[in-house]
Amino acid sequence: MAVDRERIPLVGRAAEMGQIEALVASVAEGDGRALLLEGEAGIGKSRLVGEAMAIASGRGLSVHRARAEELDSRRPFGAIATCLGFTPGPTHVRRDEVARLLFGDIPESAATFMAAGGSGTEFLLVESMVARVEELCAEGPVAVALDDLQWADAATLHVFHQLGRLVDDCPLFLCGAFRPAPRPPELTRLVRGLAARGATTLTIPALDPAAVTTLLSSVLGVEPGATLVRQATATGGNPFYVTELVGALRASGSMRETATSAEIDSVALPSALKLTVLLELSFLSEPTQELLRTASVLGSTWTVRDLGLVAGQSPMALAPALREAMAAGVLLEEGPRMAFRHDLLREALYEDVPRSLRMGMHLHVAQTLAGAGSSALEVAEHYVRGAARGDAAALGWLRRAADEAMLRAPATAAELLERALDLFEPADPGRDALMTDYLTCLESIGRAPEGEAVALDLLGRLQPPRTEARLRMFLARRMNIRGDTDKAHRMAARAQAVDGLTPGQQARILCARALLALFPPDLARVEDLAGQARLQGEALDDEVTRANAAYALATVAFNRGRYVEARQRAEGVVVRNDDDPELRVGIGWRHLNQAGRLLLCQSQLRLDEVDEAAETLRTALRTIREHGYRGLQASGQALVVVQRYEVGDWEDAATEFETLTDLSADVGQFWGLDLAAGARALMSLHRGDPQAAADALRIATRSASRGPIDRHLATLAEALLAESTGSPGPALAVLVEQWDGMVGGGVLAASLNLGPDLVRLARLAGDLDRAVDVCRVVESIAAANPGVASILGTALRCRGLADDDADVLAQAAAVFRDGPRPLDLARACEDAGDARARAGDLTRARPLFAEAVQVYEQLDATWDIGRVRSRMRALGVRQGSREARKRASTGWEALTRGERAVVELVAEGLSNPEVAERLFLSRHTVKRHLSNAMIKLGVASRMELFRPTARQDA
């Protein structure tokens, strides 16, 4: 009979238990902690996880625990969904949402849906699961533990990684255990990521000889003899092996036990654990052994129903063998399922079956489960392990399973499609269709470079017209990203010229060609192609073609500084439906709608329609999150940073930028990171922190922007940083290079940000022609957008700087007072004050300088305040006795508007996800606001936020 491990005291793990107890105690007091346990199979990781969860439960933590299984590694979110209690049945609002996404219906062809630009649910599932844990943490400390992470699916590991980010702000004890091998890449990234965030990592060592002896004594209840100790020590200090050894010796009758001792005659048992386990199991009846081998093919856990189906026996017929196995300690019950007591037992039985027989058994299991109505993913897992090339049934189930996984975990779908491709005969005509879906899958999971070889292979054979066009557009995008612009456009033109395309398909490809020309911007080409597409869309009455053309033309107008036109065209980027899948070749219509909203927000912001821009952005981000468009969410978040920067909410802008960096780690390349990093660098520089500015600029450099306009704020920050170190010449050179690169291509949108400093530095260097040329460009933008305070003010400021005209500069300041941009107002007041003081008009210079300082103080722009005061001293302007107002750094007054709103809602008892929904913020931003607020208020946990809030209300 097997040893009852639950009654055996934990031996040789005092140091590990001490660390675990300290971590749990810290979480019980409101902190967050993460623990990773690594060790070979049988070394005791699961026992330590169990002890940790028992301690956690005893300290009042809400405990959630599960383990991953080898034959469940392709079930998206399998282990984490089990751990957090997500089931198809209705239970809780958040769980219902996750259950709908996990278990709800999928489109008939998920690959076709994804190829049309449709969004999968993976992002939403990750966000919702993490949000659920945040909600639990708002109710009290929580423990989440996953064992056998080496078998976990990629989506589960991704959620676990995201949970690791909560430990900084939530009372969460995150515990994971895994073997050294196998080590999938996702697990390696998880371990590195959690370690970088401060997780405690314990590598569980083998027991030393003294601990092995102690363990033997605990198992036997008597003193072990010297020969028995030598036999046990030969196990290499593996606790599972030691206990199995005792079971095998007892079963074989090789052990002599008395009331005080236990001994064996000689060291005779095999040194391999597998053989020792099999020897112990060999004393079970032959029917029970055969049933256990069959069960091992089903996995670590299974239902009696499934075992009966596969074995061809009724539950009643299975009962004697199952009872014998349970009595022997080989099997146990886990809720409604049966489970092997330890994975090593199952693995020993499984590996004892010859490989060819195992394949046949898996094939039989797959066919049986398919006939019983099991899910495609369950069936496909066995076909993956048992099917041979040319098996049509296996191919069908793998295809269905890939469709099932595509929307929820495209990485899993890619694995299934790869296996399906291996099963095709090379000449099978269906293989190319599957390869096209595989290409879509690779693109959706960020493995597009691998897809190039697939696309070229497919183009080497005759393809249907639409498929050929899709393949060529895919290659065109890849060429464009690599910088092979001319080749990209030639390939796109060949896509449109494919014989057999319908007029509707050609119109859609024309739109795709126009959008391709936006990065890098070739505005003349975009305008020409989009203009043609607009006419074709009208002739065909195709709403999607018209909307794509409107988006492309709006982007052209925006880049050329025609913001009124850009806003009007962006408002026309509206598609209600696209019900003809044969026409789809570009981004999906829902994706296009939200991209149009982001462009509309940019246009509104440039036109000083700040409130409208904020509402447009909130609406867009809400829909983007609902549909899981990760790239668009990151771009939208970048616009949040820029919008906060422009209107002077710099504290919140900095917080939003931290949120963006979190997103960028998950999303990869996207539009807007350069722009936001430039804004962050400028804020840091103005606040006298050149090191933080340089750090932000390094992020901009890494982001691999595809267009010069994206980097214009970063370029301005580089120039001002150079100037601050006494290098106006290099500063001017940086701006000139950026300016010429943009304006030479007709891209004028960034002129409003670069123009004033370029004019100022050019005049300082004596390059009056350059200064005048810049003025003309900015004034042309003002003429195209009449009545916009910030644009008119910028034009006046440029002209005033170029002509050194104090009256024009003062007029610019007056115009900026009616606009929403405080930094522009302060700079204009400073310039006007400087011009008046140099002209000897100190009386009118003083209030302008004072106003500049006042606005800079509101922005906490210490660098600018120091520069103004230095100018005033040099020009002989009396500065008065007023002390500079310093922004509070601690306490309630130090909180930003965003932080205060979050704290107030948290103090009402709302969880982070609930606060996010109430304030229309991302969950990441709420977390950042809360973390910053807790530091400023000097509290260690969210529970303490009730006290300062109550004092403030009083």
Side-chain angles (χ1 to χ4, degrees), residues 459-531:
L459 285 174
R461 296 180 294 279
L462 183 65
Q463 302 294 341
R466 179 172 171 269
T467 299
E468 181 181 347
R470 282 177 55 194
L471 294 171
R472 293 195 181 280
M473 285 307 304
F474 168 80
L475 290 172
R477 290 193 297 274
R478 295 303 310 160
M479 293 171 181
N480 207 45
I481 289 171
R482 288 200 305 270
D484 295 334
T485 306
D486 291 338
K487 289 183 179 179
H489 288 300
R490 287 197 297 271
M491 181 62 74
R494 290 182 65 186
Q496 187 183 349
V498 169
D499 288 338
L501 291 177
T502 67
Q505 291 168 340
Q506 289 180 326
R508 297 288 184 90
I509 295 174
L510 195 57
C511 291
R513 291 179 59 194
L515 297 178
L516 185 72
L518 287 172
F519 303 102
D522 183 347
L523 300 186
R525 188 194 298 267
V526 176
E527 199 160 32
D528 175 50
L529 294 172

Coordinates of all heavy atoms in Angstrom, one line a residue, residues 459-531:
L459 N 2.9 31.5 -53.0 CA 2.9 32.2 -54.3 C 3.6 31.4 -55.4 O 3.5 31.7 -56.6 CB 3.5 33.6 -54.2 CG 2.6 34.6 -53.5 CD1 3.4 35.9 -53.3 CD2 1.4 34.9 -54.3
G460 N 4.4 30.4 -55.0 CA 5.1 29.6 -56.0 C 4.1 28.6 -56.7 O 4.5 27.9 -57.6
R461 N 2.9 28.6 -56.2 CA 1.8 27.7 -56.8 C 0.6 28.6 -57.2 O 0.4 29.6 -56.6 CB 1.4 26.6 -55.9 CG 2.6 25.6 -55.6 CD 2.1 24.5 -54.6 NE 1.8 25.0 -53.3 CZ 2.7 25.3 -52.4 NH1 4.0 25.1 -52.6 NH2 2.3 25.7 -51.2
L462 N -0.2 28.1 -58.1 CA -1.4 28.8 -58.5 C -2.4 28.9 -57.3 O -2.7 27.9 -56.7 CB -2.1 28.1 -59.7 CG -3.3 28.8 -60.3 CD1 -2.9 30.2 -60.9 CD2 -4.0 27.9 -61.3
Q463 N -2.8 30.1 -57.1 CA -3.8 30.4 -56.0 C -5.0 31.1 -56.5 O -5.0 31.7 -57.5 CB -3.1 31.3 -54.9 CG -1.8 30.7 -54.3 CD -2.0 29.5 -53.5 OE1 -3.2 29.2 -53.1 NE2 -1.0 28.7 -53.3
P464 N -6.1 31.0 -55.7 CA -7.3 31.8 -56.1 C -7.0 33.3 -56.1 O -6.1 33.7 -55.3 CB -8.3 31.4 -55.0 CG -7.9 30.1 -54.5 CD -6.4 30.1 -54.6
P465 N -7.6 34.1 -56.9 CA -7.2 35.5 -57.0 C -7.2 36.2 -55.7 O -6.2 36.9 -55.4 CB -8.3 36.0 -58.0 CG -8.8 34.9 -58.8 CD -8.7 33.7 -57.9
R466 N -8.2 36.1 -54.9 CA -8.2 36.8 -53.6 C -7.1 36.4 -52.7 O -6.5 37.2 -52.1 CB -9.6 36.6 -52.9 CG -9.7 37.3 -51.6 CD -11.1 37.3 -51.0 NE -11.2 37.7 -49.7 CZ -11.0 37.0 -48.6 NH1 -10.8 35.7 -48.7 NH2 -11.1 37.5 -47.4
T467 N -6.8 35.1 -52.7 CA -5.7 34.5 -51.9 C -4.4 35.1 -52.3 O -3.6 35.6 -51.5 CB -5.7 33.0 -51.9 OG1 -6.9 32.5 -51.4 CG2 -4.5 32.5 -51.1
E468 N -4.2 35.1 -53.7 CA -2.9 35.7 -54.2 C -2.8 37.1 -53.8 O -1.7 37.6 -53.4 CB -2.9 35.5 -55.7 CG -1.6 36.1 -56.3 CD -1.5 35.9 -57.8 OE1 -2.3 35.2 -58.4 OE2 -0.6 36.6 -58.4
A469 N -3.9 37.9 -53.9 CA -3.8 39.3 -53.6 C -3.5 39.5 -52.1 O -2.7 40.4 -51.8 CB -5.2 40.0 -53.9
R470 N -4.1 38.7 -51.2 CA -3.8 38.8 -49.8 C -2.4 38.5 -49.5 O -1.7 39.2 -48.7 CB -4.7 37.8 -49.0 CG -6.1 38.3 -48.8 CD -7.0 37.2 -48.1 NE -6.3 36.8 -46.8 CZ -6.7 35.7 -46.2 NH1 -7.6 34.9 -46.6 NH2 -6.1 35.5 -45.0
L471 N -1.8 37.5 -50.2 CA -0.4 37.1 -50.0 C 0.5 38.2 -50.4 O 1.5 38.6 -49.7 CB -0.1 35.8 -50.7 CG -0.8 34.6 -50.2 CD1 -0.6 33.4 -51.2 CD2 -0.3 34.2 -48.8
R472 N 0.2 38.8 -51.5 CA 1.1 39.9 -52.0 C 1.0 41.1 -51.1 O 2.0 41.8 -50.9 CB 0.7 40.2 -53.5 CG 1.0 39.1 -54.5 CD 1.0 39.6 -55.9 NE 1.3 38.4 -56.8 CZ 2.5 38.0 -57.0 NH1 3.5 38.5 -56.5 NH2 2.7 36.9 -57.9
M473 N -0.2 41.5 -50.6 CA -0.3 42.6 -49.7 C 0.4 42.3 -48.4 O 1.0 43.2 -47.8 CB -1.8 42.9 -49.4 CG -2.5 43.6 -50.6 SD -1.7 45.1 -51.2 CE -1.5 46.1 -49.7
F474 N 0.4 41.1 -48.0 CA 1.2 40.7 -46.8 C 2.6 41.0 -47.0 O 3.3 41.6 -46.2 CB 0.9 39.3 -46.4 CG 1.9 38.7 -45.4 CD1 1.7 39.0 -44.0 CD2 3.0 38.0 -45.7 CE1 2.5 38.5 -43.0 CE2 3.9 37.5 -44.8 CZ 3.6 37.7 -43.4
L475 N 3.2 40.5 -48.1 CA 4.6 40.7 -48.4 C 4.9 42.2 -48.6 O 6.0 42.6 -48.2 CB 5.0 39.9 -49.7 CG 5.0 38.4 -49.5 CD1 5.2 37.7 -50.9 CD2 6.1 38.0 -48.6
A476 N 4.0 42.9 -49.2 CA 4.2 44.4 -49.3 C 4.3 45.1 -48.0 O 5.2 45.9 -47.8 CB 3.0 45.0 -50.1
R477 N 3.5 44.7 -47.0 CA 3.6 45.2 -45.7 C 4.9 44.9 -45.0 O 5.6 45.7 -44.4 CB 2.5 44.8 -44.8 CG 1.1 45.3 -45.2 CD 0.1 45.1 -44.1 NE -0.2 43.6 -43.8 CZ -1.1 42.9 -44.5 NH1 -1.8 43.5 -45.5 NH2 -1.3 41.6 -44.2
R478 N 5.4 43.7 -45.2 CA 6.7 43.2 -44.6 C 7.8 44.0 -45.3 O 8.7 44.5 -44.6 CB 6.9 41.7 -44.8 CG 5.9 40.8 -44.1 CD 5.9 41.1 -42.6 NE 7.2 41.1 -42.1 CZ 7.6 41.6 -40.9 NH1 6.7 42.3 -40.2 NH2 8.8 41.6 -40.5
M479 N 7.8 44.2 -46.6 CA 8.8 45.0 -47.3 C 8.8 46.4 -46.8 O 9.9 47.0 -46.5 CB 8.6 44.9 -48.8 CG 8.8 43.6 -49.4 SD 8.2 43.6 -51.2 CE 8.5 41.9 -51.7
N480 N 7.7 47.0 -46.6 CA 7.6 48.4 -46.1 C 8.2 48.5 -44.7 O 8.9 49.5 -44.4 CB 6.1 48.8 -46.1 CG 6.0 50.3 -46.3 OD1 6.7 50.9 -47.2 ND2 5.1 50.9 -45.5
I481 N 7.9 47.6 -43.9 CA 8.4 47.6 -42.5 C 9.9 47.5 -42.5 O 10.6 48.2 -41.7 CB 7.8 46.5 -41.6 CG1 6.3 46.8 -41.4 CG2 8.6 46.3 -40.4 CD1 5.6 45.6 -40.7
R482 N 10.5 46.8 -43.4 CA 12.0 46.6 -43.5 C 12.6 47.9 -44.2 O 13.8 48.0 -44.2 CB 12.3 45.4 -44.3 CG 12.1 44.1 -43.6 CD 12.9 43.0 -44.3 NE 12.7 42.9 -45.7 CZ 11.7 42.1 -46.2 NH1 10.9 41.4 -45.5 NH2 11.6 42.1 -47.5
G483 N 11.8 48.7 -44.7 CA 12.3 49.9 -45.4 C 12.5 49.8 -46.9 O 13.0 50.7 -47.6
D484 N 12.0 48.7 -47.5 CA 12.1 48.5 -48.9 C 10.8 49.1 -49.5 O 9.9 48.4 -50.1 CB 12.2 47.0 -49.3 CG 13.5 46.4 -48.8 OD1 14.5 47.1 -48.7 OD2 13.5 45.1 -48.5
T485 N 10.7 50.4 -49.5 CA 9.5 51.1 -49.8 C 9.1 50.9 -51.3 O 8.0 50.6 -51.6 CB 9.6 52.6 -49.6 OG1 10.0 52.8 -48.2 CG2 8.3 53.3 -49.8
D486 N 10.1 51.0 -52.2 CA 9.8 50.9 -53.6 C 9.3 49.5 -53.9 O 8.3 49.3 -54.7 CB 11.0 51.2 -54.5 CG 11.3 52.7 -54.4 OD1 10.4 53.5 -54.1 OD2 12.5 53.1 -54.7
K487 N 10.0 48.5 -53.4 CA 9.6 47.1 -53.6 C 8.2 46.9 -53.0 O 7.3 46.1 -53.6 CB 10.6 46.1 -53.0 CG 11.9 46.0 -53.7 CD 12.8 45.0 -53.0 CE 14.1 44.9 -53.7 NZ 15.0 43.9 -53.0
A488 N 7.9 47.5 -51.9 CA 6.6 47.3 -51.3 C 5.5 47.8 -52.2 O 4.5 47.1 -52.4 CB 6.6 48.0 -49.9
H489 N 5.7 49.0 -52.7 CA 4.6 49.6 -53.6 C 4.5 48.8 -54.9 O 3.3 48.7 -55.4 CB 4.9 51.0 -53.8 CG 4.7 51.9 -52.6 ND1 3.5 52.0 -52.0 CD2 5.5 52.7 -51.9 CE1 3.6 52.8 -50.9 NE2 4.8 53.2 -50.9
R490 N 5.6 48.3 -55.4 CA 5.4 47.5 -56.6 C 4.7 46.2 -56.3 O 3.8 45.7 -57.1 CB 6.8 47.1 -57.2 CG 7.5 48.3 -57.9 CD 8.7 47.9 -58.8 NE 9.7 47.2 -58.0 CZ 10.8 47.9 -57.5 NH1 10.8 49.2 -57.6 NH2 11.7 47.2 -56.8
M491 N 5.0 45.6 -55.2 CA 4.3 44.3 -54.8 C 2.8 44.6 -54.6 O 1.9 43.8 -55.0 CB 4.9 43.7 -53.5 CG 4.2 42.4 -53.1 SD 4.3 41.1 -54.2 CE 6.1 40.6 -54.0
A492 N 2.5 45.8 -54.0 CA 1.1 46.1 -53.7 C 0.3 46.4 -55.1 O -0.8 46.0 -55.2 CB 1.0 47.4 -52.8
A493 N 1.0 47.0 -56.0 CA 0.4 47.2 -57.3 C 0.1 45.9 -58.0 O -0.9 45.7 -58.7 CB 1.3 48.1 -58.2
R494 N 1.0 44.9 -57.9 CA 0.8 43.6 -58.4 C -0.4 42.9 -57.8 O -1.1 42.2 -58.4 CB 2.1 42.7 -58.3 CG 3.3 43.2 -59.1 CD 4.4 42.2 -59.0 NE 4.2 40.9 -59.4 CZ 5.0 39.9 -59.3 NH1 6.2 40.1 -58.7 NH2 4.7 38.7 -59.8
A495 N -0.6 43.1 -56.5 CA -1.7 42.6 -55.8 C -3.0 43.1 -56.4 O -4.0 42.3 -56.7 CB -1.7 42.9 -54.3
Q496 N -3.1 44.4 -56.7 CA -4.3 44.9 -57.3 C -4.5 44.4 -58.7 O -5.7 44.3 -59.2 CB -4.2 46.5 -57.3 CG -5.5 47.1 -57.7 CD -5.4 48.6 -57.8 OE1 -4.4 49.2 -57.3 NE2 -6.4 49.3 -58.4
A497 N -3.4 44.1 -59.4 CA -3.5 43.7 -60.8 C -3.7 42.2 -61.0 O -3.7 41.7 -62.2 CB -2.2 44.1 -61.6
V498 N -3.9 41.4 -59.9 CA -4.2 40.0 -60.0 C -5.4 39.7 -60.9 O -6.5 40.3 -60.7 CB -4.3 39.4 -58.7 CG1 -4.8 37.9 -58.8 CG2 -3.0 39.4 -57.9
D499 N -5.3 38.9 -61.9 CA -6.4 38.5 -62.7 C -7.5 37.8 -61.9 O -7.2 37.0 -61.1 CB -6.0 37.6 -63.9 CG -5.1 38.3 -64.9 OD1 -5.2 39.5 -65.0 OD2 -4.3 37.6 -65.6
G500 N -8.7 38.2 -62.2 CA -9.9 37.5 -61.6 C -10.4 38.2 -60.4 O -11.4 37.7 -59.9
L501 N -9.8 39.3 -60.0 CA -10.4 40.1 -58.9 C -11.7 40.8 -59.3 O -11.7 41.3 -60.4 CB -9.4 41.1 -58.3 CG -8.2 40.5 -57.6 CD1 -7.2 41.7 -57.2 CD2 -8.5 39.7 -56.4
T502 N -12.6 40.9 -58.4 CA -13.8 41.6 -58.7 C -13.5 43.1 -58.5 O -12.6 43.5 -57.9 CB -15.0 41.2 -57.7 OG1 -14.6 41.7 -56.4 CG2 -15.2 39.7 -57.8
P503 N -14.4 44.0 -59.1 CA -14.2 45.4 -58.9 C -14.2 45.8 -57.4 O -13.4 46.7 -57.0 CB -15.4 46.1 -59.6 CG -15.7 45.1 -60.7 CD -15.5 43.7 -60.1
G504 N -15.0 45.2 -56.6 CA -15.0 45.4 -55.2 C -13.7 45.1 -54.5 O -13.2 45.8 -53.7
Q505 N -13.1 43.9 -54.9 CA -11.9 43.5 -54.3 C -10.7 44.5 -54.7 O -9.9 44.8 -54.0 CB -11.5 42.1 -54.7 CG -12.4 41.1 -54.1 CD -12.3 39.7 -54.7 OE1 -11.9 39.5 -55.8 NE2 -12.8 38.7 -54.0
Q506 N -10.8 44.9 -56.0 CA -9.8 45.8 -56.5 C -9.9 47.2 -55.7 O -8.8 47.8 -55.4 CB -9.9 46.1 -58.0 CG -9.5 44.9 -58.8 CD -9.7 45.1 -60.3 OE1 -10.6 45.8 -60.7 NE2 -8.8 44.6 -61.1
A507 N -11.1 47.6 -55.4 CA -11.3 48.9 -54.7 C -10.7 48.8 -53.3 O -10.0 49.7 -52.8 CB -12.7 49.3 -54.7
R508 N -10.9 47.6 -52.7 CA -10.4 47.4 -51.3 C -8.9 47.4 -51.3 O -8.2 47.9 -50.4 CB -10.9 46.1 -50.7 CG -12.5 46.1 -50.5 CD -12.9 47.0 -49.4 NE -14.4 46.9 -49.2 CZ -15.0 46.0 -48.4 NH1 -14.2 45.1 -47.7 NH2 -16.3 45.9 -48.3
I509 N -8.3 46.7 -52.3 CA -6.8 46.7 -52.4 C -6.3 48.1 -52.7 O -5.2 48.4 -52.2 CB -6.4 45.7 -53.5 CG1 -6.8 44.3 -53.1 CG2 -4.9 45.7 -53.7 CD1 -6.5 43.2 -54.1
L510 N -7.0 48.9 -53.5 CA -6.6 50.2 -53.7 C -6.5 51.0 -52.4 O -5.5 51.8 -52.1 CB -7.5 50.9 -54.7 CG -7.1 52.2 -55.3 CD1 -5.8 52.0 -56.1 CD2 -8.2 52.7 -56.3
C511 N -7.5 50.8 -51.5 CA -7.4 51.4 -50.2 C -6.2 50.9 -49.4 O -5.5 51.7 -48.7 CB -8.7 51.1 -49.4 SG -10.2 51.9 -50.0
A512 N -6.0 49.6 -49.4 CA -4.8 49.1 -48.7 C -3.5 49.7 -49.2 O -2.6 49.9 -48.5 CB -4.8 47.6 -48.8
R513 N -3.4 49.9 -50.5 CA -2.2 50.5 -51.1 C -2.1 52.0 -50.6 O -1.0 52.4 -50.3 CB -2.3 50.5 -52.6 CG -2.2 49.1 -53.3 CD -2.3 49.3 -54.8 NE -1.2 50.1 -55.3 CZ -1.2 50.6 -56.6 NH1 -2.3 50.3 -57.4 NH2 -0.3 51.4 -57.0
A514 N -3.2 52.7 -50.5 CA -3.1 54.0 -50.0 C -2.6 54.1 -48.5 O -1.8 54.9 -48.2 CB -4.5 54.7 -50.1
L515 N -3.2 53.2 -47.7 CA -2.8 53.1 -46.3 C -1.3 52.7 -46.2 O -0.6 53.2 -45.3 CB -3.7 52.2 -45.5 CG -5.1 52.6 -45.5 CD1 -5.9 51.5 -44.7 CD2 -5.3 53.9 -44.8
L516 N -0.8 51.8 -47.1 CA 0.6 51.4 -47.1 C 1.5 52.6 -47.3 O 2.6 52.7 -46.7 CB 0.8 50.4 -48.2 CG 2.2 49.7 -48.2 CD1 2.4 48.8 -47.1 CD2 2.3 49.0 -49.6
A517 N 1.1 53.6 -48.1 CA 1.9 54.7 -48.4 C 1.9 55.8 -47.3 O 2.7 56.8 -47.4 CB 1.4 55.4 -49.7
L518 N 1.2 55.5 -46.2 CA 1.3 56.4 -45.1 C 2.5 56.2 -44.2 O 2.9 57.1 -43.4 CB 0.0 56.3 -44.2 CG -1.3 56.8 -44.8 CD1 -2.5 56.4 -43.9 CD2 -1.2 58.3 -44.9
F519 N 3.1 55.1 -44.3 CA 4.3 54.8 -43.4 C 5.4 54.2 -44.3 O 5.3 53.0 -44.7 CB 3.9 53.8 -42.3 CG 2.8 54.3 -41.5 CD1 1.5 53.8 -41.7 CD2 3.0 55.2 -40.5 CE1 0.4 54.2 -40.9 CE2 1.9 55.6 -39.7 CZ 0.7 55.2 -39.9
P520 N 6.5 54.9 -44.5 CA 6.6 56.4 -44.3 C 5.7 57.2 -45.2 O 5.3 56.7 -46.3 CB 8.1 56.6 -44.5 CG 8.5 55.6 -45.5 CD 7.7 54.4 -45.2
P521 N 5.4 58.4 -44.8 CA 4.4 59.2 -45.5 C 4.9 59.6 -46.9 O 5.9 60.3 -47.1 CB 4.2 60.4 -44.6 CG 5.4 60.5 -43.8 CD 5.9 59.2 -43.6
D522 N 4.1 59.2 -47.9 CA 4.3 59.6 -49.3 C 2.9 60.2 -49.6 O 2.0 59.6 -50.2 CB 4.6 58.5 -50.2 CG 4.8 58.9 -51.7 OD1 4.5 60.0 -52.0 OD2 5.4 58.1 -52.5
L523 N 2.7 61.5 -49.2 CA 1.4 62.1 -49.2 C 0.8 62.2 -50.6 O -0.4 62.0 -50.8 CB 1.4 63.4 -48.5 CG 1.8 63.4 -47.0 CD1 1.7 64.8 -46.4 CD2 1.1 62.3 -46.2
A524 N 1.6 62.5 -51.6 CA 1.1 62.6 -52.9 C 0.5 61.3 -53.4 O -0.5 61.2 -54.0 CB 2.2 63.1 -53.9
R525 N 1.3 60.2 -53.1 CA 0.8 58.8 -53.5 C -0.5 58.5 -52.8 O -1.4 57.9 -53.4 CB 1.9 57.8 -53.2 CG 1.6 56.4 -53.8 CD 2.5 55.3 -53.2 NE 3.9 55.5 -53.5 CZ 4.5 55.0 -54.6 NH1 3.9 54.2 -55.4 NH2 5.8 55.2 -54.8
V526 N -0.5 58.8 -51.5 CA -1.7 58.5 -50.7 C -2.9 59.2 -51.3 O -4.0 58.6 -51.4 CB -1.5 58.9 -49.2 CG1 -2.8 58.7 -48.4 CG2 -0.4 58.1 -48.6
E527 N -2.7 60.5 -51.5 CA -3.9 61.3 -52.0 C -4.4 60.8 -53.4 O -5.6 60.7 -53.6 CB -3.4 62.8 -52.1 CG -4.6 63.7 -52.2 CD -4.1 65.1 -51.8 OE1 -3.0 65.5 -52.1 OE2 -4.9 65.9 -51.3
D528 N -3.4 60.4 -54.2 CA -3.8 59.9 -55.5 C -4.6 58.6 -55.4 O -5.7 58.4 -56.0 CB -2.6 59.7 -56.4 CG -2.9 59.0 -57.8 OD1 -3.8 59.5 -58.4 OD2 -2.3 58.1 -58.1
L529 N -4.0 57.6 -54.7 CA -4.7 56.3 -54.5 C -6.0 56.4 -53.8 O -7.0 55.8 -54.1 CB -3.7 55.3 -53.8 CG -2.4 55.0 -54.6 CD1 -1.5 54.2 -53.6 CD2 -2.7 54.2 -55.8
A530 N -6.0 57.2 -52.7 CA -7.2 57.3 -51.9 C -8.3 58.0 -52.7 O -9.5 57.7 -52.6 CB -7.0 58.1 -50.6
G531 N -7.9 59.0 -53.5 CA -8.9 59.7 -54.4 C -9.5 58.7 -55.4 O -10.8 58.7 -55.6

